[in-house]
Amino acid sequence: FDFSPFYETCKEKGIKPTKLTKEGVIDKTTLSKLRHGKNVELMTIAKICKYLEVPIEKVVRIKYE
């Protein structure tokens, strides 16, 4: 998984990713998983999308190798 769209979207919206932890949208462990491209539950991605008010493709991209 590629979560670079999440970071690009945050930058576009002027939101630091850590703000999502402070707001209780995600926890620090999830933020770490996003940074390292680890598995994140779909419901968590949905929460991020709702908070940022964006479609899923603005948060995650699936990379086929």
Side-chain angles (χ1 to χ4, degrees):
F1 293 99
D2 175 17
F3 292 105
S4 61
F6 165 70
Y7 291 98
E8 292 165 10
T9 300
C10 285
K11 186 175 180 179
E12 288 170 9
K13 291 185 169 276
I15 297 172
K16 291 184 179 182
T18 53
K19 183 176 181 183
L20 278 77
T21 61
K22 293 175 185 170
E23 298 280 329
V25 179
I26 58 174
D27 58 25
K28 291 179 181 182
T29 302
T30 302
L31 187 57
S32 177
K33 288 179 179 181
L34 291 171
R35 278 193 195 111
H36 296 100
K38 303 288 183 183
N39 187 38
V40 176
E41 289 189 24
L42 186 57
M43 290 303 293
T44 303
I45 294 171
K47 286 181 190 178
I48 294 169
C49 291
K50 185 175 180 181
Y51 179 82
L52 295 174
E53 299 179 334
V54 296
I56 193 168
E57 57 269 10
K58 297 287 272 177
V59 174
V60 64
R61 181 181 309 129
I62 297 175
K63 291 168 54 173
Y64 298 99
E65 297 179 41

